[in-house]
């Protein structure tokens, strides 16, 4: 039953989810259902597989009360992976 609900949810997101494009390159990163609730942005069911980083989009006119939010592909970490001895 749980697997069936997951498949239906993924199908719903693939069909009706918003396309997420990289703000810098315009490349399609994947699809997701974006829910804004209580001042937070929830990205549900992202199909891209890579981590996203939220950024503010550039605007023609500066409006501090309303800003557009976009996403870019997050860079891989730049610190070395050390294993404890």
């Amino acid at each position: 039953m749980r697997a069936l609900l997951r498949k239906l949810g993924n199908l719903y997101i693939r069909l009706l989810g918003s396309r997420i494009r990289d703000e810098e390159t315009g490349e399609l990163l994947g699809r997701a259902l974006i829910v804004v609730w209580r001042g937070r942005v929830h990205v549900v069911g992202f199909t891209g597989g890579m981590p996203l980083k939220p950024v503010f989009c550039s605007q023609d006119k500066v409006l501090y009360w309303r800003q557009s939010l976009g996403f870019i592909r997050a860079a891989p970490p730049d610190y070395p992976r050390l294993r404890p001895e």
Side-chain angles (χ1 to χ4, degrees), residues 17-85:
S18 300
R19 290 186 187 123
I20 297 181
R21 295 197 176 272
D22 192 327
E23 284 296 318
E24 295 174 347
T25 63
E27 175 189 359
L28 181 65
L29 298 176
R31 294 181 82 104
L33 185 64
I34 298 176
V35 179
V36 180
W37 189 56
R38 289 192 177 185
R40 295 184 181 187
V41 177
H42 300 276
V43 180
V44 180
F46 178 60
T47 61
M50 71 216 56
L52 295 176
K53 180 180 174 184
V55 293
F56 290 109
C57 300
S58 61
Q59 298 175 335
D60 296 334
K61 184 178 178 182
V62 178
L63 299 172
Y64 294 105
W65 61 273
R66 179 182 173 164
Q67 300 220 347
S68 299
L69 188 65
F71 296 97
I72 61 172
R73 181 180 297 174
D78 61 349
Y79 51 86
R81 183 178 180 125
L82 300 175
R83 295 182 184 255
E85 294 182 29

